[in-house]
Amino acid sequence: MEESSSREIALTASETGTVLEALEQHESDATDATETELDDLESRFDRDLGDGEAAEVELTRADAHVVLSALEEREPLTSGRDREKLLALRGRFAEAFEFDDRVPEGAEPMEDERYPGGT
């Protein structure tokens, strides 16, 4: 997959919130993304979704690289079920955008207890 080609990924309200929080905390000088690029990415995830709603977010592979970096930075700050959800989310991004070497160990799809059968 080329860095500039784009794909869509469907995310729940909780997942978009997790990504947005990670991007807001992401160090712009610690990555190849500029402050403007981070602001653009944040705006794509800043959605007012209700419970059960999903958002389709279109990203390039380069965008997904920045999202993965932000989620990886966030991982040491989480524990328990939040960490499991973060690992599952990282795994989904890595697989969707063909970053096979960045799929975290132990990443398994999480079932949301509020929506049995959903992830």
Side-chain angles (χ1 to χ4, degrees):
M1 179 175 185
E2 292 182 29
E3 292 296 307
S4 61
S5 62
S6 63
R7 291 192 177 168
E8 287 188 348
I9 187 166
L11 302 171
T12 65
S14 175
E15 290 170 333
T16 58
T18 298
V19 172
L20 182 59
E21 187 175 311
L23 287 170
E24 288 172 345
Q25 303 283 326
H26 193 49
E27 297 291 330
S28 62
D29 59 344
T31 183
D32 53 0
T34 65
E35 191 65 39
T36 303
E37 291 167 330
L38 283 174
D39 289 343
D40 175 55
L41 274 174
E42 287 174 23
S43 71
R44 293 190 221 171
F45 291 95
D46 192 7
R47 312 246 177 129
D48 189 19
L49 299 174
D51 287 342
E53 287 186 70
E56 294 279 332
V57 180
E58 187 172 335
L59 301 170
T60 64
R61 192 167 193 265
D63 294 335
H65 174 77
V66 175
V67 170
L68 278 168
S69 294
L71 292 172
E72 288 167 350
E73 283 179 4
R74 191 104 184 105
E75 185 181 332
L77 306 174
T78 60
S79 62
R81 185 151 172 81
D82 288 337
R83 187 167 194 274
E84 290 175 18
K85 288 180 178 181
L86 182 68
L87 288 174
L89 183 57
R90 277 186 49 210
R92 284 188 51 217
F93 269 93
E95 289 174 5
F97 291 93
E98 300 176 6
F99 287 108
D100 298 332
D101 59 330
R102 293 181 74 178
V103 175
E105 288 192 33
E108 296 181 19
M110 294 291 295
E111 182 172 305
D112 191 325
E113 64 274 0
R114 295 173 297 166
Y115 308 102
T119 55

